[in-house]
Amino acid sequence: MEKKEMLYEGKAKRVYATDNAEVLLVDYKDDATAFNGLKKGTISGKGVINNRVTNFMMQILEKEGVPTHFVKEISERETLVKKVSIVPLEVIIRNISAGSFAKRYGVEEGIVFAEPTIEFSYKNDDLGDPLINSYHALALGIATKEDIATITAMAFKVNEVMKKFFKGIGVDLVDFKLEFGKTSDGTIVLADEISPDTCRFWDSETHEKLDKDRFRRDLGNVEDAYQEMMKRIMG
Ligand code: ADP
Ligand code: UDP
């Protein structure tokens, strides 16, 4: 597979065309941003960790019957994925209160929910990824009713698989963000990444944060937390 022109440079990854029109190459950077790009920095080694962790999780999910964009890891930082048309929704699942949920509703972090929650943000940097509901998504033509039903069911399934997996490595899966896309034949698959950038991970015993909140909140030992998560996940 040949790496061709860069199609897109995002905050955390670069996306390249390949000689196969159905396949893209994703290259993970060490760049880190938070608060809608206001806070910028680097987390040394993050690109390697997020690439490897994402691919590991995507393969677990595939085994459990969740279709993903994953094709093949080709280097420490580079992976081939199925080219999809991204549904411009950030799909957020929560098991425990934290982050914007705690802030918005004026509750402390760490409340364990009886049932997981789902919410959608409209993926639009200029608007700051505003929270939207499924009716708004329909009205805006972002997705169809069927798409939203499929995405919702897949997101909860991903949560069940991941919650169990992380429990087994002594980590509470607090919340996470997913993105979905449509392949050329219209199939909805899980896309983008699953990593300490996009999930909140708390040590089950100590409740230590092992994710991007260490960067967002200047808690220190950011690199160590990412390394620790990779070690626990991949052995
Ligand atoms: P951002 O765009 O938020 O800065 P990234 O730096 O992670 O994020 O850039 C990666 C981009 O690639 C995102 O816009 C993401 O939606 C998109 N993407 C992820 N997986 C695929 C895929 N399989 N096909 C097409 N685009 C994808
Ligand atoms: N998240 C993400 N990208 C975003 C926004 C959120 O990956 O643009 C993840 C974040 O890492 C967390 C979950 O989604 O695991 C919920 O984030 P929240 O809504 O609490 O927002 P934040 O506190 O990050 O502003």
Side-chain angles (χ1 to χ4, degrees):
M1 189 74 58
E2 204 187 324
K3 185 172 179 177
K4 298 194 124 176
E5 77 273 13
M6 188 172 78
L7 301 174
Y8 176 79
E9 172 150 20
K11 297 185 287 288
K13 304 190 281 298
R14 294 186 193 93
V15 180
Y16 295 85
T18 69
D19 49 15
N20 182 338
E22 307 268 332
V23 176
L24 298 176
L25 186 154
V26 182
D27 184 353
Y28 286 72
K29 308 190 284 183
D30 286 351
D31 298 356
T33 63
F35 313 120
N36 212 20
L38 244 54
K39 184 180 169 82
K40 288 192 178 72
T42 39
I43 301 173
S44 164
K46 173 171 86 82
V48 172
I49 292 170
N50 286 3
N51 182 43
R52 299 186 63 201
V53 164
T54 294
N55 294 340
F56 190 89
M57 294 312 305
M58 293 265 178
Q59 288 174 87
I60 288 182
L61 289 163
E62 285 276 358
K63 271 196 211 114
E64 297 290 335
V66 178
T68 79
H69 73 168
F70 177 76
V71 175
K72 189 172 187 248
E73 186 170 296
I74 55 169
S75 77
E76 277 193 322
R77 288 176 187 271
E78 296 169 311
T79 292
L80 299 175
V81 298
K82 287 179 196 153
K83 179 182 184 168
V84 300
S85 157
I86 291 284
V87 177
L89 291 174
E90 299 204 327
V91 181
I92 293 168
I93 297 277
R94 302 179 190 271
N95 297 304
I96 300 176
S97 67
S100 71
F101 182 97
K103 198 170 173 214
R104 185 180 318 122
Y105 302 120
V107 297
E108 78 252 39
E109 297 198 311
I111 302 165
V112 180
F113 303 145
E115 295 289 338
T117 69
I118 189 165
E119 72 206 41
F120 305 104
S121 292
Y122 177 27
K123 216 175 123 61
N124 182 318
D125 279 338
D126 294 336
L127 300 175
D129 298 341
L131 187 67
I132 64 169
N133 68 32
S134 54
Y135 292 92
H136 298 159
L138 281 175
L140 291 168
I142 287 171
T144 66
K145 258 191 184 164
E146 293 71 31
D147 292 344
I148 293 171
T150 304
I151 286 171
T152 301
M154 279 173 73
F156 281 126
K157 166 84 186 196
V158 168
N159 186 45
E160 289 316 308
V161 173
M162 292 210 336
K163 234 176 21 185
K164 197 165 145 205
F165 173 80
F166 284 103
K167 195 173 180 192
I169 57 170
V171 171
D172 289 342
L173 178 63
V174 175
D175 58 28
F176 56 95
K177 183 267 299 178
L178 300 175
E179 292 183 26
F180 294 86
K182 277 190 182 174
T183 59
S184 56
D185 68 3
T187 311
I188 294 187
V189 301
L190 179 64
D192 205 51
E193 67 177 278
I194 299 175
S195 71
D197 269 12
T198 63
C199 304
R200 283 195 170 93
F201 297 128
W202 293 354
D203 182 277
S204 303
E205 296 290 315
T206 64
H207 302 295
E208 187 192 359
K209 294 184 189 350
L210 297 170
D211 57 60
K212 195 172 161 188
D213 270 347
R214 301 206 74 83
F215 169 77
R216 292 191 190 97
R217 304 179 186 187
D218 296 317
L219 300 176
N221 301 324
V222 185
E223 280 87 1
D224 295 345
Y226 278 69
Q227 288 288 349
E228 174 65 20
M229 279 311 303
M230 182 166 75
K231 203 173 93 197
R232 289 201 202 181
I233 292 167
M234 309 193 48

PDB file of all heavy atoms in Angstrom, residues 145-180:
ATOM      1  N   LYS A 145     -32.981   8.709  10.847  1.00  0.00           N
ATOM      2  CA  LYS A 145     -33.486   8.003  12.029  1.00  0.00           C
ATOM      3  C   LYS A 145     -32.820   6.644  12.184  1.00  0.00           C
ATOM      4  O   LYS A 145     -32.418   6.242  13.277  1.00  0.00           O
ATOM      5  CB  LYS A 145     -34.997   7.781  11.882  1.00  0.00           C
ATOM      6  CG  LYS A 145     -35.822   8.745  12.678  1.00  0.00           C
ATOM      7  CD  LYS A 145     -37.279   8.319  12.702  1.00  0.00           C
ATOM      8  CE  LYS A 145     -38.047   9.387  13.447  1.00  0.00           C
ATOM      9  NZ  LYS A 145     -39.475   9.325  13.239  1.00  0.00           N
ATOM     10  N   GLU A 146     -32.715   5.939  11.045  1.00  0.00           N
ATOM     11  CA  GLU A 146     -32.109   4.600  11.052  1.00  0.00           C
ATOM     12  C   GLU A 146     -30.639   4.690  11.463  1.00  0.00           C
ATOM     13  O   GLU A 146     -30.173   3.883  12.265  1.00  0.00           O
ATOM     14  CB  GLU A 146     -32.221   3.942   9.672  1.00  0.00           C
ATOM     15  CG  GLU A 146     -33.638   3.586   9.218  1.00  0.00           C
ATOM     16  CD  GLU A 146     -34.508   4.805   8.870  1.00  0.00           C
ATOM     17  OE1 GLU A 146     -33.953   5.837   8.397  1.00  0.00           O
ATOM     18  OE2 GLU A 146     -35.738   4.745   9.096  1.00  0.00           O
ATOM     19  N   ASP A 147     -29.932   5.691  10.901  1.00  0.00           N
ATOM     20  CA  ASP A 147     -28.514   5.872  11.257  1.00  0.00           C
ATOM     21  C   ASP A 147     -28.376   6.073  12.763  1.00  0.00           C
ATOM     22  O   ASP A 147     -27.506   5.475  13.403  1.00  0.00           O
ATOM     23  CB  ASP A 147     -27.926   7.130  10.586  1.00  0.00           C
ATOM     24  CG  ASP A 147     -27.807   6.995   9.071  1.00  0.00           C
ATOM     25  OD1 ASP A 147     -27.888   5.863   8.572  1.00  0.00           O
ATOM     26  OD2 ASP A 147     -27.640   8.049   8.410  1.00  0.00           O
ATOM     27  N   ILE A 148     -29.235   6.932  13.303  1.00  0.00           N
ATOM     28  CA  ILE A 148     -29.127   7.259  14.734  1.00  0.00           C
ATOM     29  C   ILE A 148     -29.430   6.031  15.588  1.00  0.00           C
ATOM     30  O   ILE A 148     -28.738   5.778  16.580  1.00  0.00           O
ATOM     31  CB  ILE A 148     -30.028   8.464  15.086  1.00  0.00           C
ATOM     32  CG1 ILE A 148     -29.472   9.726  14.389  1.00  0.00           C
ATOM     33  CG2 ILE A 148     -30.099   8.688  16.604  1.00  0.00           C
ATOM     34  CD1 ILE A 148     -30.367  10.941  14.469  1.00  0.00           C
ATOM     35  N   ALA A 149     -30.426   5.246  15.154  1.00  0.00           N
ATOM     36  CA  ALA A 149     -30.755   4.019  15.900  1.00  0.00           C
ATOM     37  C   ALA A 149     -29.581   3.036  15.858  1.00  0.00           C
ATOM     38  O   ALA A 149     -29.204   2.446  16.882  1.00  0.00           O
ATOM     39  CB  ALA A 149     -32.021   3.387  15.325  1.00  0.00           C
ATOM     40  N   THR A 150     -28.981   2.899  14.689  1.00  0.00           N
ATOM     41  CA  THR A 150     -27.841   1.978  14.537  1.00  0.00           C
ATOM     42  C   THR A 150     -26.660   2.449  15.380  1.00  0.00           C
ATOM     43  O   THR A 150     -26.038   1.663  16.114  1.00  0.00           O
ATOM     44  CB  THR A 150     -27.405   1.911  13.046  1.00  0.00           C
ATOM     45  OG1 THR A 150     -28.533   1.524  12.266  1.00  0.00           O
ATOM     46  CG2 THR A 150     -26.265   0.933  12.841  1.00  0.00           C
ATOM     47  N   ILE A 151     -26.366   3.735  15.286  1.00  0.00           N
ATOM     48  CA  ILE A 151     -25.228   4.307  16.016  1.00  0.00           C
ATOM     49  C   ILE A 151     -25.435   4.174  17.527  1.00  0.00           C
ATOM     50  O   ILE A 151     -24.511   3.813  18.265  1.00  0.00           O
ATOM     51  CB  ILE A 151     -25.032   5.785  15.593  1.00  0.00           C
ATOM     52  CG1 ILE A 151     -24.428   5.841  14.183  1.00  0.00           C
ATOM     53  CG2 ILE A 151     -24.180   6.553  16.600  1.00  0.00           C
ATOM     54  CD1 ILE A 151     -24.394   7.231  13.566  1.00  0.00           C
ATOM     55  N   THR A 152     -26.666   4.418  17.984  1.00  0.00           N
ATOM     56  CA  THR A 152     -26.963   4.314  19.416  1.00  0.00           C
ATOM     57  C   THR A 152     -26.745   2.879  19.903  1.00  0.00           C
ATOM     58  O   THR A 152     -26.070   2.656  20.920  1.00  0.00           O
ATOM     59  CB  THR A 152     -28.410   4.773  19.687  1.00  0.00           C
ATOM     60  OG1 THR A 152     -28.548   6.129  19.241  1.00  0.00           O
ATOM     61  CG2 THR A 152     -28.768   4.682  21.160  1.00  0.00           C
ATOM     62  N   ALA A 153     -27.284   1.929  19.165  1.00  0.00           N
ATOM     63  CA  ALA A 153     -27.139   0.522  19.567  1.00  0.00           C
ATOM     64  C   ALA A 153     -25.667   0.112  19.549  1.00  0.00           C
ATOM     65  O   ALA A 153     -25.186  -0.559  20.474  1.00  0.00           O
ATOM     66  CB  ALA A 153     -27.958  -0.370  18.628  1.00  0.00           C
ATOM     67  N   MET A 154     -24.933   0.540  18.524  1.00  0.00           N
ATOM     68  CA  MET A 154     -23.509   0.182  18.440  1.00  0.00           C
ATOM     69  C   MET A 154     -22.732   0.816  19.584  1.00  0.00           C
ATOM     70  O   MET A 154     -21.848   0.180  20.171  1.00  0.00           O
ATOM     71  CB  MET A 154     -22.925   0.623  17.090  1.00  0.00           C
ATOM     72  CG  MET A 154     -23.243  -0.346  15.955  1.00  0.00           C
ATOM     73  SD  MET A 154     -22.730   0.289  14.329  1.00  0.00           S
ATOM     74  CE  MET A 154     -20.961   0.110  14.420  1.00  0.00           C
ATOM     75  N   ALA A 155     -23.038   2.067  19.916  1.00  0.00           N
ATOM     76  CA  ALA A 155     -22.303   2.765  20.969  1.00  0.00           C
ATOM     77  C   ALA A 155     -22.504   2.071  22.331  1.00  0.00           C
ATOM     78  O   ALA A 155     -21.547   1.889  23.090  1.00  0.00           O
ATOM     79  CB  ALA A 155     -22.737   4.227  21.034  1.00  0.00           C
ATOM     80  N   PHE A 156     -23.733   1.656  22.618  1.00  0.00           N
ATOM     81  CA  PHE A 156     -23.974   0.949  23.890  1.00  0.00           C
ATOM     82  C   PHE A 156     -23.288  -0.421  23.903  1.00  0.00           C
ATOM     83  O   PHE A 156     -22.795  -0.864  24.939  1.00  0.00           O
ATOM     84  CB  PHE A 156     -25.478   0.821  24.164  1.00  0.00           C
ATOM     85  CG  PHE A 156     -26.099   2.089  24.718  1.00  0.00           C
ATOM     86  CD1 PHE A 156     -27.202   2.668  24.113  1.00  0.00           C
ATOM     87  CD2 PHE A 156     -25.584   2.699  25.858  1.00  0.00           C
ATOM     88  CE1 PHE A 156     -27.784   3.836  24.626  1.00  0.00           C
ATOM     89  CE2 PHE A 156     -26.152   3.867  26.378  1.00  0.00           C
ATOM     90  CZ  PHE A 156     -27.252   4.429  25.762  1.00  0.00           C
ATOM     91  N   LYS A 157     -23.263  -1.059  22.752  1.00  0.00           N
ATOM     92  CA  LYS A 157     -22.566  -2.355  22.652  1.00  0.00           C
ATOM     93  C   LYS A 157     -21.061  -2.163  22.902  1.00  0.00           C
ATOM     94  O   LYS A 157     -20.438  -2.926  23.659  1.00  0.00           O
ATOM     95  CB  LYS A 157     -22.825  -2.955  21.255  1.00  0.00           C
ATOM     96  CG  LYS A 157     -21.944  -4.107  20.872  1.00  0.00           C
ATOM     97  CD  LYS A 157     -22.469  -5.427  21.401  1.00  0.00           C
ATOM     98  CE  LYS A 157     -21.472  -6.530  21.103  1.00  0.00           C
ATOM     99  NZ  LYS A 157     -21.969  -7.860  21.218  1.00  0.00           N
ATOM    100  N   VAL A 158     -20.494  -1.134  22.282  1.00  0.00           N
ATOM    101  CA  VAL A 158     -19.077  -0.810  22.509  1.00  0.00           C
ATOM    102  C   VAL A 158     -18.842  -0.601  24.004  1.00  0.00           C
ATOM    103  O   VAL A 158     -17.862  -1.091  24.578  1.00  0.00           O
ATOM    104  CB  VAL A 158     -18.658   0.459  21.715  1.00  0.00           C
ATOM    105  CG1 VAL A 158     -17.295   0.972  22.157  1.00  0.00           C
ATOM    106  CG2 VAL A 158     -18.671   0.183  20.212  1.00  0.00           C
ATOM    107  N   ASN A 159     -19.764   0.103  24.659  1.00  0.00           N
ATOM    108  CA  ASN A 159     -19.617   0.361  26.097  1.00  0.00           C
ATOM    109  C   ASN A 159     -19.595  -0.941  26.893  1.00  0.00           C
ATOM    110  O   ASN A 159     -18.761  -1.106  27.791  1.00  0.00           O
ATOM    111  CB  ASN A 159     -20.748   1.264  26.583  1.00  0.00           C
ATOM    112  CG  ASN A 159     -20.566   1.684  28.032  1.00  0.00           C
ATOM    113  OD1 ASN A 159     -19.465   2.062  28.440  1.00  0.00           O
ATOM    114  ND2 ASN A 159     -21.633   1.598  28.815  1.00  0.00           N
ATOM    115  N   GLU A 160     -20.493  -1.859  26.581  1.00  0.00           N
ATOM    116  CA  GLU A 160     -20.541  -3.124  27.323  1.00  0.00           C
ATOM    117  C   GLU A 160     -19.226  -3.884  27.175  1.00  0.00           C
ATOM    118  O   GLU A 160     -18.665  -4.381  28.153  1.00  0.00           O
ATOM    119  CB  GLU A 160     -21.729  -3.992  26.850  1.00  0.00           C
ATOM    120  CG  GLU A 160     -23.090  -3.456  27.268  1.00  0.00           C
ATOM    121  CD  GLU A 160     -23.153  -2.984  28.734  1.00  0.00           C
ATOM    122  OE1 GLU A 160     -22.772  -3.770  29.634  1.00  0.00           O
ATOM    123  OE2 GLU A 160     -23.541  -1.820  28.971  1.00  0.00           O
ATOM    124  N   VAL A 161     -18.734  -3.965  25.936  1.00  0.00           N
ATOM    125  CA  VAL A 161     -17.485  -4.694  25.682  1.00  0.00           C
ATOM    126  C   VAL A 161     -16.316  -4.005  26.391  1.00  0.00           C
ATOM    127  O   VAL A 161     -15.510  -4.652  27.071  1.00  0.00           O
ATOM    128  CB  VAL A 161     -17.214  -4.779  24.151  1.00  0.00           C
ATOM    129  CG1 VAL A 161     -15.838  -5.373  23.871  1.00  0.00           C
ATOM    130  CG2 VAL A 161     -18.314  -5.583  23.451  1.00  0.00           C
ATOM    131  N   MET A 162     -16.254  -2.688  26.269  1.00  0.00           N
ATOM    132  CA  MET A 162     -15.106  -1.960  26.837  1.00  0.00           C
ATOM    133  C   MET A 162     -15.143  -1.942  28.360  1.00  0.00           C
ATOM    134  O   MET A 162     -14.120  -2.085  29.019  1.00  0.00           O
ATOM    135  CB  MET A 162     -15.044  -0.530  26.287  1.00  0.00           C
ATOM    136  CG  MET A 162     -14.699  -0.522  24.802  1.00  0.00           C
ATOM    137  SD  MET A 162     -13.806   0.899  24.152  1.00  0.00           S
ATOM    138  CE  MET A 162     -14.148   2.213  25.205  1.00  0.00           C
ATOM    139  N   LYS A 163     -16.330  -1.736  28.932  1.00  0.00           N
ATOM    140  CA  LYS A 163     -16.454  -1.696  30.399  1.00  0.00           C
ATOM    141  C   LYS A 163     -15.899  -2.976  31.011  1.00  0.00           C
ATOM    142  O   LYS A 163     -15.123  -2.951  31.967  1.00  0.00           O
ATOM    143  CB  LYS A 163     -17.934  -1.549  30.783  1.00  0.00           C
ATOM    144  CG  LYS A 163     -18.195  -0.378  31.691  1.00  0.00           C
ATOM    145  CD  LYS A 163     -19.640  -0.116  32.047  1.00  0.00           C
ATOM    146  CE  LYS A 163     -20.617  -1.233  31.906  1.00  0.00           C
ATOM    147  NZ  LYS A 163     -22.010  -0.789  32.185  1.00  0.00           N
ATOM    148  N   LYS A 164     -16.294  -4.095  30.419  1.00  0.00           N
ATOM    149  CA  LYS A 164     -15.862  -5.405  30.906  1.00  0.00           C
ATOM    150  C   LYS A 164     -14.345  -5.560  30.740  1.00  0.00           C
ATOM    151  O   LYS A 164     -13.649  -5.996  31.666  1.00  0.00           O
ATOM    152  CB  LYS A 164     -16.610  -6.486  30.117  1.00  0.00           C
ATOM    153  CG  LYS A 164     -16.579  -7.843  30.743  1.00  0.00           C
ATOM    154  CD  LYS A 164     -17.636  -8.734  30.099  1.00  0.00           C
ATOM    155  CE  LYS A 164     -17.113 -10.156  30.018  1.00  0.00           C
ATOM    156  NZ  LYS A 164     -17.738 -10.933  28.951  1.00  0.00           N
ATOM    157  N   PHE A 165     -13.858  -5.187  29.569  1.00  0.00           N
ATOM    158  CA  PHE A 165     -12.420  -5.311  29.296  1.00  0.00           C
ATOM    159  C   PHE A 165     -11.613  -4.480  30.301  1.00  0.00           C
ATOM    160  O   PHE A 165     -10.660  -4.972  30.905  1.00  0.00           O
ATOM    161  CB  PHE A 165     -12.098  -4.872  27.860  1.00  0.00           C
ATOM    162  CG  PHE A 165     -10.621  -4.830  27.581  1.00  0.00           C
ATOM    163  CD1 PHE A 165      -9.915  -5.998  27.295  1.00  0.00           C
ATOM    164  CD2 PHE A 165      -9.917  -3.630  27.652  1.00  0.00           C
ATOM    165  CE1 PHE A 165      -8.548  -5.964  27.074  1.00  0.00           C
ATOM    166  CE2 PHE A 165      -8.546  -3.592  27.433  1.00  0.00           C
ATOM    167  CZ  PHE A 165      -7.858  -4.752  27.142  1.00  0.00           C
ATOM    168  N   PHE A 166     -12.015  -3.230  30.502  1.00  0.00           N
ATOM    169  CA  PHE A 166     -11.235  -2.348  31.376  1.00  0.00           C
ATOM    170  C   PHE A 166     -11.334  -2.770  32.838  1.00  0.00           C
ATOM    171  O   PHE A 166     -10.364  -2.667  33.587  1.00  0.00           O
ATOM    172  CB  PHE A 166     -11.618  -0.878  31.155  1.00  0.00           C
ATOM    173  CG  PHE A 166     -11.032  -0.336  29.876  1.00  0.00           C
ATOM    174  CD1 PHE A 166     -11.811  -0.171  28.738  1.00  0.00           C
ATOM    175  CD2 PHE A 166      -9.678  -0.050  29.796  1.00  0.00           C
ATOM    176  CE1 PHE A 166     -11.245   0.284  27.544  1.00  0.00           C
ATOM    177  CE2 PHE A 166      -9.098   0.406  28.608  1.00  0.00           C
ATOM    178  CZ  PHE A 166      -9.899   0.565  27.484  1.00  0.00           C
ATOM    179  N   LYS A 167     -12.483  -3.279  33.234  1.00  0.00           N
ATOM    180  CA  LYS A 167     -12.637  -3.789  34.595  1.00  0.00           C
ATOM    181  C   LYS A 167     -11.577  -4.854  34.880  1.00  0.00           C
ATOM    182  O   LYS A 167     -10.981  -4.887  35.954  1.00  0.00           O
ATOM    183  CB  LYS A 167     -14.050  -4.359  34.768  1.00  0.00           C
ATOM    184  CG  LYS A 167     -14.418  -4.563  36.197  1.00  0.00           C
ATOM    185  CD  LYS A 167     -15.858  -4.972  36.364  1.00  0.00           C
ATOM    186  CE  LYS A 167     -16.032  -5.111  37.824  1.00  0.00           C
ATOM    187  NZ  LYS A 167     -16.936  -5.608  38.525  1.00  0.00           N
ATOM    188  N   GLY A 168     -11.352  -5.687  33.872  1.00  0.00           N
ATOM    189  CA  GLY A 168     -10.376  -6.779  33.987  1.00  0.00           C
ATOM    190  C   GLY A 168      -8.939  -6.296  34.147  1.00  0.00           C
ATOM    191  O   GLY A 168      -8.072  -7.065  34.584  1.00  0.00           O
ATOM    192  N   ILE A 169      -8.659  -5.052  33.797  1.00  0.00           N
ATOM    193  CA  ILE A 169      -7.300  -4.516  33.961  1.00  0.00           C
ATOM    194  C   ILE A 169      -7.275  -3.418  35.031  1.00  0.00           C
ATOM    195  O   ILE A 169      -6.378  -2.575  35.059  1.00  0.00           O
ATOM    196  CB  ILE A 169      -6.703  -4.017  32.617  1.00  0.00           C
ATOM    197  CG1 ILE A 169      -7.590  -2.947  31.947  1.00  0.00           C
ATOM    198  CG2 ILE A 169      -6.489  -5.185  31.656  1.00  0.00           C
ATOM    199  CD1 ILE A 169      -6.920  -2.254  30.758  1.00  0.00           C
ATOM    200  N   GLY A 170      -8.277  -3.461  35.909  1.00  0.00           N
ATOM    201  CA  GLY A 170      -8.278  -2.548  37.066  1.00  0.00           C
ATOM    202  C   GLY A 170      -8.554  -1.100  36.725  1.00  0.00           C
ATOM    203  O   GLY A 170      -8.059  -0.185  37.394  1.00  0.00           O
ATOM    204  N   VAL A 171      -9.379  -0.882  35.688  1.00  0.00           N
ATOM    205  CA  VAL A 171      -9.679   0.489  35.253  1.00  0.00           C
ATOM    206  C   VAL A 171     -11.188   0.687  35.157  1.00  0.00           C
ATOM    207  O   VAL A 171     -11.889  -0.149  34.575  1.00  0.00           O
ATOM    208  CB  VAL A 171      -9.021   0.777  33.878  1.00  0.00           C
ATOM    209  CG1 VAL A 171      -9.503   2.099  33.303  1.00  0.00           C
ATOM    210  CG2 VAL A 171      -7.499   0.761  33.990  1.00  0.00           C
ATOM    211  N   ASP A 172     -11.685   1.776  35.726  1.00  0.00           N
ATOM    212  CA  ASP A 172     -13.090   2.148  35.541  1.00  0.00           C
ATOM    213  C   ASP A 172     -13.207   2.989  34.278  1.00  0.00           C
ATOM    214  O   ASP A 172     -12.515   4.005  34.148  1.00  0.00           O
ATOM    215  CB  ASP A 172     -13.600   2.962  36.744  1.00  0.00           C
ATOM    216  CG  ASP A 172     -13.747   2.108  37.997  1.00  0.00           C
ATOM    217  OD1 ASP A 172     -13.790   0.859  37.865  1.00  0.00           O
ATOM    218  OD2 ASP A 172     -13.789   2.681  39.097  1.00  0.00           O
ATOM    219  N   LEU A 173     -14.080   2.559  33.380  1.00  0.00           N
ATOM    220  CA  LEU A 173     -14.340   3.317  32.150  1.00  0.00           C
ATOM    221  C   LEU A 173     -15.398   4.365  32.484  1.00  0.00           C
ATOM    222  O   LEU A 173     -16.577   4.048  32.613  1.00  0.00           O
ATOM    223  CB  LEU A 173     -14.824   2.369  31.044  1.00  0.00           C
ATOM    224  CG  LEU A 173     -15.183   3.015  29.716  1.00  0.00           C
ATOM    225  CD1 LEU A 173     -13.981   3.694  29.072  1.00  0.00           C
ATOM    226  CD2 LEU A 173     -15.778   1.970  28.765  1.00  0.00           C
ATOM    227  N   VAL A 174     -14.964   5.599  32.639  1.00  0.00           N
ATOM    228  CA  VAL A 174     -15.839   6.687  33.105  1.00  0.00           C
ATOM    229  C   VAL A 174     -16.741   7.170  31.966  1.00  0.00           C
ATOM    230  O   VAL A 174     -17.966   7.177  32.081  1.00  0.00           O
ATOM    231  CB  VAL A 174     -14.996   7.855  33.661  1.00  0.00           C
ATOM    232  CG1 VAL A 174     -15.873   9.037  34.039  1.00  0.00           C
ATOM    233  CG2 VAL A 174     -14.184   7.367  34.862  1.00  0.00           C
ATOM    234  N   ASP A 175     -16.106   7.590  30.873  1.00  0.00           N
ATOM    235  CA  ASP A 175     -16.850   8.060  29.697  1.00  0.00           C
ATOM    236  C   ASP A 175     -15.940   8.000  28.491  1.00  0.00           C
ATOM    237  O   ASP A 175     -14.732   7.782  28.621  1.00  0.00           O
ATOM    238  CB  ASP A 175     -17.427   9.478  29.921  1.00  0.00           C
ATOM    239  CG  ASP A 175     -16.359  10.510  30.249  1.00  0.00           C
ATOM    240  OD1 ASP A 175     -15.198  10.344  29.826  1.00  0.00           O
ATOM    241  OD2 ASP A 175     -16.684  11.500  30.942  1.00  0.00           O
ATOM    242  N   PHE A 176     -16.496   8.156  27.314  1.00  0.00           N
ATOM    243  CA  PHE A 176     -15.688   8.159  26.091  1.00  0.00           C
ATOM    244  C   PHE A 176     -16.488   8.730  24.932  1.00  0.00           C
ATOM    245  O   PHE A 176     -17.705   8.828  24.992  1.00  0.00           O
ATOM    246  CB  PHE A 176     -15.180   6.754  25.743  1.00  0.00           C
ATOM    247  CG  PHE A 176     -16.250   5.709  25.609  1.00  0.00           C
ATOM    248  CD1 PHE A 176     -16.791   5.400  24.361  1.00  0.00           C
ATOM    249  CD2 PHE A 176     -16.726   5.021  26.710  1.00  0.00           C
ATOM    250  CE1 PHE A 176     -17.783   4.430  24.227  1.00  0.00           C
ATOM    251  CE2 PHE A 176     -17.727   4.057  26.584  1.00  0.00           C
ATOM    252  CZ  PHE A 176     -18.251   3.767  25.348  1.00  0.00           C
ATOM    253  N   LYS A 177     -15.731   9.099  23.888  1.00  0.00           N
ATOM    254  CA  LYS A 177     -16.319   9.664  22.668  1.00  0.00           C
ATOM    255  C   LYS A 177     -16.070   8.719  21.498  1.00  0.00           C
ATOM    256  O   LYS A 177     -14.956   8.213  21.342  1.00  0.00           O
ATOM    257  CB  LYS A 177     -15.662  11.011  22.390  1.00  0.00           C
ATOM    258  CG  LYS A 177     -16.189  11.772  21.198  1.00  0.00           C
ATOM    259  CD  LYS A 177     -15.447  11.547  19.908  1.00  0.00           C
ATOM    260  CE  LYS A 177     -14.004  11.941  19.907  1.00  0.00           C
ATOM    261  NZ  LYS A 177     -13.339  11.639  18.603  1.00  0.00           N
ATOM    262  N   LEU A 178     -17.091   8.474  20.714  1.00  0.00           N
ATOM    263  CA  LEU A 178     -16.941   7.644  19.506  1.00  0.00           C
ATOM    264  C   LEU A 178     -17.340   8.453  18.286  1.00  0.00           C
ATOM    265  O   LEU A 178     -18.128   9.399  18.387  1.00  0.00           O
ATOM    266  CB  LEU A 178     -17.851   6.405  19.580  1.00  0.00           C
ATOM    267  CG  LEU A 178     -17.647   5.432  20.740  1.00  0.00           C
ATOM    268  CD1 LEU A 178     -18.727   4.351  20.698  1.00  0.00           C
ATOM    269  CD2 LEU A 178     -16.258   4.797  20.706  1.00  0.00           C
ATOM    270  N   GLU A 179     -16.780   8.056  17.139  1.00  0.00           N
ATOM    271  CA  GLU A 179     -17.234   8.592  15.852  1.00  0.00           C
ATOM    272  C   GLU A 179     -17.574   7.417  14.948  1.00  0.00           C
ATOM    273  O   GLU A 179     -16.907   6.382  14.991  1.00  0.00           O
ATOM    274  CB  GLU A 179     -16.144   9.457  15.199  1.00  0.00           C
ATOM    275  CG  GLU A 179     -15.894  10.738  15.959  1.00  0.00           C
ATOM    276  CD  GLU A 179     -14.863  11.641  15.284  1.00  0.00           C
ATOM    277  OE1 GLU A 179     -14.700  11.559  14.045  1.00  0.00           O
ATOM    278  OE2 GLU A 179     -14.224  12.416  16.003  1.00  0.00           O
ATOM    279  N   PHE A 180     -18.599   7.608  14.148  1.00  0.00           N
ATOM    280  CA  PHE A 180     -19.020   6.578  13.208  1.00  0.00           C
ATOM    281  C   PHE A 180     -18.969   7.130  11.800  1.00  0.00           C
ATOM    282  O   PHE A 180     -19.036   8.346  11.595  1.00  0.00           O
ATOM    283  CB  PHE A 180     -20.439   6.111  13.534  1.00  0.00           C
ATOM    284  CG  PHE A 180     -20.539   5.393  14.853  1.00  0.00           C
ATOM    285  CD1 PHE A 180     -20.726   6.108  16.032  1.00  0.00           C
ATOM    286  CD2 PHE A 180     -20.395   4.011  14.925  1.00  0.00           C
ATOM    287  CE1 PHE A 180     -20.802   5.455  17.265  1.00  0.00           C
ATOM    288  CE2 PHE A 180     -20.466   3.355  16.147  1.00  0.00           C
ATOM    289  CZ  PHE A 180     -20.676   4.073  17.320  1.00  0.00           C
TER     290      PHE A 180
END
